[in-house]
Amino acid sequence: QYQEEIQELNEVARHRPRSTLVMGIQQENRQIRELQQENKELRTSLEEHQSALELIMSKYREQMFRLLMASKKDEPSIIMKLKEQHSKV
């Protein structure tokens, strides 16, 4: 029975020696760790870019609001609408 199980395992492993299988697994583990590290770095970079973009867009909205306020001084109803929209954003 033991020999039969060994034969089945060898067939599954495509008759490769144990040392070859272990080396293959170690190489895969190394690649997985490298990919995980790269994934972590990419995630951090994405978060930094999103934060920068949020800051830029916030400043842009603020400047646009000020520009509209300056150009629409004669119409208070439009100013109130813009203030409400800006506060919602």
Side-chain angles (χ1 to χ4, degrees):
Q1 185 179 4
Y2 174 75
Q3 289 299 326
E4 289 174 10
E5 289 181 15
I6 292 292
Q7 285 178 341
E8 287 178 28
L9 288 173
N10 281 336
E11 287 175 15
V12 169
R14 299 183 198 136
H15 300 287
R16 291 183 284 179
R18 183 174 185 264
S19 61
T20 304
L21 293 173
V22 169
M23 284 177 40
I25 291 171
Q26 288 174 340
Q27 184 178 3
E28 287 177 9
N29 284 342
R30 236 178 281 121
Q31 289 173 340
I32 289 171
R33 281 193 297 273
E34 289 172 3
L35 289 172
Q36 287 173 335
Q37 180 62 32
E38 183 181 359
N39 195 15
K40 189 184 295 184
E41 291 170 4
L42 288 171
R43 197 173 282 126
T44 301
S45 179
L46 176 63
E47 289 171 0
E48 289 173 358
H49 282 85
Q50 285 176 333
S51 295
L53 186 57
E54 287 173 9
L55 177 64
I56 290 167
M57 289 306 297
S58 173
K59 295 291 184 181
Y60 172 77
R61 287 185 198 106
E62 185 178 321
Q63 290 298 322
M64 289 304 295
F65 180 74
R66 287 181 183 168
L67 178 63
L68 289 172
M69 290 288 285
S71 66
K72 302 289 183 183
K73 286 184 180 180
D74 298 332
E75 299 179 33
S77 63
I78 293 176
I79 293 172
M80 292 304 293
K81 287 179 184 177
L82 290 173
K83 283 183 181 179
E84 290 172 8
Q85 289 175 355
H86 182 68
S87 64
K88 287 179 184 176
V89 173

